[in-house]
């Protein structure tokens, strides 16, 4: 007996059990296989790197490099505002969730090309800074900040990756705003690494690169979590496999664990806390000791005439304490008009001391930060400040 053949029809949402209806409403991806295939392909197309992505990545790198050279955080933020939509990050996360080697290779290639453009722009900025400033002046505060692993930056990465992935899957126009935060957290450390490799500030190059790699890994894992919760799963209709997805995710996690281990063992990008001493030196030492004597009058009351009371000094005179000989130095910066006098080591500029200016080096007042020695000096006009030791010549 032959039974009539029937064709599979997609489930009617109105006839689904209540639990499945609630699940279908929560998921972006429909339960129907053909529609799920269309959603996967549409998101993969939106996440593919374009020519605009590379052009704006280069422009972003140039602006961020200018911000590092001038030590201006406003330029760093402006560079992030003109950055492209960080779609390749979402594409890499999507390829790991779906287990697509083809999508993974295309997305990773786009990320590497965009990263190379930003890195090269940072190198150009470091070369410019080395030509403009003497070596000690390349220790800029902004570059030092983004070469450290700090929890606010990780929070910015997670926030940007979560919202960028979610809105790119729904409406790519709304993904532009959180993408700015993601680009800021990724491209600024990357440009800082390029800046450090060509500006003679050696510790910036490996530290900032480790920061970029760990930020990128956190962004990819955050994107994977969002896509998985939105209903993106490996599907056989597209040739994706669950095993491939597990392999790609495990590879990302292993890479992140290895990078973290290297950073901890080599102390790369680990913040160091240096206690700041409050020093109150005097400008000119003075001699204050003097011998002291106690006067003991001994009057005698007699009917006869007696001599006047005599003063008898008591105690031992204290010898004067020798004072340190003042140390003077002359500002001498070859190839430049003078050196910067700052209000603190790596602080704000107080004034520019021309070459030939004589300053007094205050005693017992030297600070070493990142292998650079800073001297506390005072000018003939009474202006105190800090200057790098290699910018002055100590007079014998």
């Amino acid at each position: 007996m032959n039974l009539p053949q029937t064709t599979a029809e997609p489930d009617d949402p109105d006839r689904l059990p209540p639990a499945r209806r609630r699940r279908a409403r929560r998921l972006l991806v429909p339960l129907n296989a053909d529609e799920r295939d269309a959603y996967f392909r549409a998101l993969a197309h939106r996440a593919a790197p374009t020519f605009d992505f590379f052009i704006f990545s280069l422009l972003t790198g140039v602006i961020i490099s200018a911000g590092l050279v001038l030590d201006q955080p406003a330029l760093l933020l402006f560079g992030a505002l003109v950055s492209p939509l960080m779609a390749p990050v979402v594409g890499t996360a999507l390829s790991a969730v779906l287990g697509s080697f083809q999508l993974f290779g295309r997305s990773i290639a786009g990320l590497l090309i965009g990263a190379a453009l930003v890195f090269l722009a940072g190198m150009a900025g470091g070369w410019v800074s080395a030509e403009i400033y003497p070596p000690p002046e390349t220790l800029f505060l902004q570059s030092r900040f983004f070469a450290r692993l700090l929890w606010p930056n990780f929070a910015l990465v997670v926030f940007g990756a979560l919202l960028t992935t979610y809105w790119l899957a729904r409406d790519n126009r709304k993904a532009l705003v959180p993408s700015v935060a993601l680009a800021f957290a990724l491209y600024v450390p990357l440009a800082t690494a390029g800046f450090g490799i060509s500006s003679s500030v050696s510790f910036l190059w490996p530290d900032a690169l480790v920061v970029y790699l760990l930020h990128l890994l956190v962004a990819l894992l955050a994107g994977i979590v969002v896509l998985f919760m939105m209903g993106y799963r490996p599907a056989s209709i597209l040739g994706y496999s669950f095993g491939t997805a597990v392999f790609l995710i495990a590879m990302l996690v292993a890479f992140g664990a290895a990078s973290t281990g290297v950073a901890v063992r080599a102390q790369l990008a680990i913040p160091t806390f240096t206690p700041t001493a409050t020093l109150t030196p005097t400008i000119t030492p003075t001699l204050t000791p003097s011998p002291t004597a106690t006067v003991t009058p001994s009057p005698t009351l007699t009917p006869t005439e007696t001599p006047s009371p005599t003063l008898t000094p008591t105690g031992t005179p204290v010898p004067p304490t020798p004072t340190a000989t003042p140390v003077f130095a002359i500002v001498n910066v070859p190839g430049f008009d003078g050196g910067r006098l700052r209000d603190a080591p790596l602080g704000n500029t107080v004034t520019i001391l021309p070459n030939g200016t004589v300053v007094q080096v205050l005693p017992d007042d030297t600070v070493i930060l990142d292998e650079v020695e800073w001297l506390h000096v005072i000018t003939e006009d009474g202006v105190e400040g800090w200057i790098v030791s290699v910018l002055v010549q100590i007079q014998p």
Side-chain angles (χ1 to χ4, degrees), residues 14-291:
D14 296 332
R15 297 181 180 179
L16 291 175
R20 292 195 64 191
R21 284 203 303 269
R22 288 193 299 269
R23 179 173 178 268
R25 286 195 298 267
R26 288 196 301 266
L27 297 179
L28 170 69
V29 182
L31 297 177
N32 182 272
D34 294 333
E35 293 179 350
R36 183 169 58 246
D37 177 25
Y39 269 98
F40 288 171
R41 296 186 185 280
L43 179 56
H45 178 74
R46 290 196 298 270
T50 61
F51 183 73
D52 292 343
F53 174 79
F54 304 128
I55 293 297
F56 281 96
S57 292
L58 178 60
L59 179 61
T60 299
V62 171
I63 297 175
I64 292 176
S65 298
L68 294 175
V69 173
L70 301 176
D71 202 24
Q72 294 296 325
L75 285 177
L76 303 182
L77 180 59
F78 178 65
L81 290 175
V82 302
S83 63
L85 179 64
M86 303 301 290
V89 176
V90 180
T92 305
L94 179 65
S95 66
V97 171
L98 300 181
S100 172
F101 276 113
Q102 180 180 4
L103 180 58
F104 183 82
R106 183 176 63 184
S107 301
I108 284 293
L111 278 177
L112 291 178
I113 295 175
L117 295 174
V118 175
F119 186 84
L120 291 176
M123 289 185 61
W127 178 81
V128 171
S129 70
E131 294 295 324
I132 295 177
Y133 302 101
E137 294 296 327
T138 57
L139 296 175
F140 299 109
L141 297 179
Q142 297 303 317
S143 61
R144 291 165 53 85
F145 178 79
F146 290 101
R148 295 291 181 265
L149 294 172
L150 303 173
W151 71 264
N153 294 341
F154 273 106
L156 187 65
V157 171
V158 174
F159 170 81
L162 291 177
L163 293 185
T164 301
T165 304
Y166 176 78
W167 284 116
L168 189 64
R170 296 185 65 104
D171 186 355
N172 56 347
R173 292 171 298 180
K174 295 183 179 180
L176 293 175
V177 174
S179 177
V180 171
L182 185 58
F184 183 84
L186 292 178
Y187 277 171
V188 174
L190 184 60
T192 301
F195 180 86
I197 202 173
S198 60
S199 62
S200 302
V201 187
S202 57
F203 74 92
L204 289 181
W205 145 241
D207 291 33
L209 183 62
V210 169
V211 172
Y212 166 75
L213 293 176
L214 292 180
H215 283 187
L216 178 60
L217 175 70
V218 171
L220 292 177
L221 294 179
I224 289 172
V225 171
V226 171
L227 292 173
F228 189 82
M229 294 180 63
M230 294 179 69
Y232 288 86
R233 307 283 193 277
S236 59
I237 188 171
L238 296 179
Y240 305 136
S241 66
F242 179 78
T244 306
V246 172
F247 171 77
L248 292 176
I249 296 175
M251 184 175 62
L252 293 176
V253 173
F255 174 77
S259 301
T260 304
V262 171
V264 172
R265 287 192 299 271
Q267 291 297 301
L268 297 176
I270 304 298
T272 56
F273 301 96
T274 305
T276 303
T278 303
L279 305 173
T280 56
T282 57
I283 297 177
T284 305
T286 58
L287 297 176
T288 56
S290 60

